Amino acid sequence: MQVLSLETVDSTNLYAKNNIGELSNCTVIHALRQTSGRGRFTRKWVDLGDGNLFLSFVLKPETKFSSSFPNITQYLSVVLCKVLETFGVEPQIKWPNDVLVNGKKIAGILCEAVNEGGCFKGLVLGIGVNLNAFDCDLNLVSDKVITALNLEISNSVDVYAFRNKLMSEFSQNYEKFLEMGFEFIKEDYISKLVVLNKDISVQVLNDVKTGFVKGVTNTGELVLENQEKEFVLTIGDIL
Ligand code: BTN
């Protein structure tokens, strides 16, 4: 993997999308600071200052759209958990791909497909990880309880070392994941899933579905059950 390093950018995802024609497969766009980070559902991703991780993988497979791509954010969430574990914490995954430590969000993942003139050009898979933050800055994010790795381990974290571990863990099984899809990570993913066997509510577009989490399908969807029926959710935001 090659890395394109930037000091400050509006958003590594936007940069990657705007330059996808010139970027080769598996390039990583890494920025030290982000002024306009993007999150899921048009949310913002807040830059908590120096020493945090903002990067986007540019994925341009030789073949066309892979059937594993809808699960690529879940693949990255498992990869991130493995890296976080090496720091002695016990990460968990909030479906579909938020990563939590001690119940608090530490990272966010946003995947965007790039199409030009009806042609699929590739995927931009962005991840932000809170590695170094001050306690007093955590309330810059008002809609979620968040944390940063340095606060969990009482030690500052080297952003470059973390980035390199993440890239290496990502590459290690990427081809295998493309070949096998969600089933390749299912066991690891479920073992970290925070909502399993719990009653939850999920915002699905303009609707809220409430039920008991029975599990996850072989293609990564969440299976919810209530007295009325069973729901298989492809997208959504757990409330
Ligand atoms: C979310 O939790 O809503 C997803 C957040 C994704 C944030 C990362 S930071 C690097 C990359 N560039 C962006 O603008 N967004 C992603």
Side-chain angles (χ1 to χ4, degrees), residues 69-226:
F69 279 161
N71 301 108
I72 191 94
T73 60
Q74 289 165 313
Y75 173 67
L76 184 53
S77 68
V78 170
V79 163
L80 175 63
C81 286
K82 288 194 178 151
V83 175
L84 287 169
E85 279 162 1
T86 67
F87 289 82
V89 295
E90 283 180 31
Q92 288 183 299
I93 298 173
K94 184 174 157 200
W95 182 88
N97 54 51
D98 277 352
V99 175
L100 315 179
V101 171
N102 289 324
K104 295 164 278 184
K105 179 160 169 163
I106 198 164
I109 296 171
L110 174 69
C111 185
E112 301 181 84
V114 188
N115 292 292
E116 271 168 27
C119 230
F120 175 64
K121 295 286 172 202
L123 285 186
V124 172
L125 177 61
I127 179 166
V129 191
N130 301 333
L131 295 181
N132 295 287
F134 292 105
D135 253 322
C136 59
D137 285 337
L138 297 180
N139 58 11
L140 290 172
V141 178
S142 51
D143 59 333
K144 292 242 157 66
V145 182
I146 64 160
T147 190
L149 188 54
N150 68 316
L151 302 174
E152 299 297 328
I153 63 172
S154 304
N155 239 326
S156 62
V157 179
D158 182 323
V159 65
Y160 293 103
F162 193 95
R163 177 196 77 186
N164 293 344
K165 274 191 182 188
L166 187 78
M167 284 168 41
S168 135
E169 189 65 45
F170 183 89
S171 330
Q172 202 171 311
N173 291 311
Y174 177 57
E175 292 299 330
K176 193 94 192 139
F177 163 75
L178 283 189
E179 210 179 283
M180 290 182 62
F182 185 72
E183 285 186 68
F184 177 67
I185 53 161
K186 187 175 179 185
E187 205 181 302
D188 275 345
Y189 182 85
I190 288 189
S191 71
K192 294 178 170 44
L193 196 62
V194 73
V195 292
L196 196 63
N197 300 327
K198 297 212 170 95
D199 284 306
I200 60 162
S201 295
V202 187
Q203 182 84 45
V204 185
L205 305 174
N206 290 327
D207 196 11
V208 174
K209 303 272 187 229
T210 299
F212 178 82
V213 179
K214 278 181 70 183
V216 174
T217 66
N218 282 345
T219 42
E221 291 109 342
L222 192 71
V223 184
L224 266 193
E225 185 186 61
N226 65 26

Side-chain angles (χ1 to χ4, degrees), residues 11-13 34 37-40 45 55 105 108-110 126-128:
S11 146
T12 55
N13 266 35
Q34 247 187 183
R38 296 145 66 94
R40 290 173 74 222
W45 182 258
L55 69 77
K105 179 160 169 163
I109 296 171
L110 174 69
I127 179 166

